[in-house]
Amino acid sequence: MPRLLQAVLFDLGDTLMYSPNPWPPIFERAGRALADSLCASGLPIDQNSFGAEFRKKLDEYYIDRDRNLFELSTTAVLGQLLTQKGHPGVAEDILRAALDDFYAITQQNWLLEADAASTLAELQAAGYRLGLVSNAGDNRDVFQLVEKFDIEQYFDFVLTSAACSYRKPHPRIFELALAHWGYMPDQAAMVGDRLDADVGGSKMLGMFAIWIKRRARSQTPGPTPPDAVVENLEEIPPLLDSLLTP
């Protein structure tokens, strides 16, 4: 008899990759790089303070998006800040170049988990379809990270909240991912570190939720417990094997 689960969706940050160093100094450097880029393009901004202002604007935006589960993009946030400072209608290529410089710094603080590629390869070889679903404010940043880690070969698609406008745990982002294959929710598992976004969102739709704990901010299951708990990615293939229909 065929197995029930046909596909596995993965989160990215703190699931397949992790950040080894504290973020505040990284963001400070990234903000300076962004400000330098904007100044080089001819925008009369305060080069010394703009990076911190952008970070504050992002923090305010993060509060809003976590509440309404709707993703704009960091490009939109940057454009809004520049408009507020008297520079409306800045060209898209200028915004993009500045953000590329920003993310070139932050990407240095992400490392691929040692068991990520081998786990993805094992699942792919076993016949599972794989997809990546990431809450992220910049679609290009996620694709660059996936390419950097050389894991794009394992995924049928990479879906970000920046690209589809919906953030996990909103059911729509999971529905869009499943629609790529034409699968029903009970044919797919979701692997992630966030109990609210990854576990709660996927279970609400009827998916099999696997919580990976090693980088999780909270270690206590919430009101929607996961269907399975693992410490490492390498535990997932044997876990799925145990679910095979007899």
Side-chain angles (χ1 to χ4, degrees):
M1 296 179 65
R3 63 188 174 211
L4 177 63
L5 293 178
Q6 303 291 324
V8 186
L9 296 175
F10 282 90
D11 174 51
L12 182 58
D14 293 327
T15 297
L16 294 176
M17 67 179 188
Y18 69 100
S19 51
N21 302 307
W23 281 108
I26 304 293
F27 285 134
E28 183 178 352
R29 288 171 49 213
R32 286 199 302 268
L34 178 138
D36 290 347
S37 176
L38 293 173
C39 285
S41 71
L43 282 174
I45 61 170
D46 187 329
Q47 198 164 354
N48 294 320
S49 65
F50 190 85
E53 292 175 302
F54 178 59
R55 184 63 206 171
K56 181 180 178 182
K57 185 73 173 178
L58 281 178
D59 288 340
E60 294 170 353
Y61 163 61
Y62 293 160
I63 293 172
D64 287 340
R65 72 178 189 179
D66 286 343
R67 182 175 60 248
N68 59 34
L69 301 182
F70 185 80
E71 191 85 64
L72 292 174
S73 67
T74 50
T75 304
V77 174
L78 179 57
Q80 289 172 0
L81 177 59
L82 288 167
T83 296
Q84 290 171 6
K85 297 188 75 63
H87 309 294
V90 176
E92 180 77 18
D93 61 334
I94 293 176
L95 300 179
R96 185 67 258 169
L99 287 170
D100 283 346
D101 287 347
F102 180 89
Y103 287 115
I105 302 297
T106 62
Q107 287 170 10
Q108 296 173 19
N109 199 36
W110 286 115
L111 297 177
L112 188 68
E113 294 283 6
D115 56 354
S118 59
T119 297
L120 295 172
E122 185 174 353
L123 291 172
Q124 187 181 67
Y128 290 100
R129 308 296 295 271
L130 305 180
L132 184 65
V133 180
S134 177
N135 277 352
D138 193 89
N139 190 61
R140 182 162 168 167
D141 177 43
V142 170
F143 274 84
Q144 287 174 338
L145 285 165
V146 169
E147 292 172 3
K148 169 187 173 182
F149 296 136
D150 194 26
I151 56 174
E152 69 272 17
Q153 61 191 300
Y154 302 114
F155 297 111
D156 291 341
F157 62 88
V158 174
L159 177 63
T160 70
S161 54
C164 75
S165 300
Y166 297 97
R167 287 179 62 80
K168 297 175 291 183
H170 197 290
R172 187 57 180 156
I173 192 169
F174 296 103
E175 291 169 348
L176 290 169
L178 294 173
H180 183 92
W181 296 303
Y183 287 159
M184 298 299 292
D186 63 1
Q187 292 179 285
M190 176 71 209
V191 180
D193 67 295
R194 292 289 299 269
L195 287 166
D196 53 352
D198 301 310
V199 172
S202 60
K203 284 204 69 174
M204 182 166 46
L205 205 64
M207 298 173 63
F208 187 85
I210 302 173
W211 180 36
I212 181 164
K213 291 182 63 177
R214 70 177 159 197
R215 311 287 181 189
R217 300 176 189 176
S218 171
Q219 294 293 313
T220 304
T224 306
D227 295 300
V229 179
V230 296
E231 194 68 34
N232 303 302
L233 292 167
E234 61 190 5
E235 297 174 45
I236 295 173
L239 168 66
L240 296 183
D241 283 346
S242 72
L243 301 176
L244 291 176
T245 305

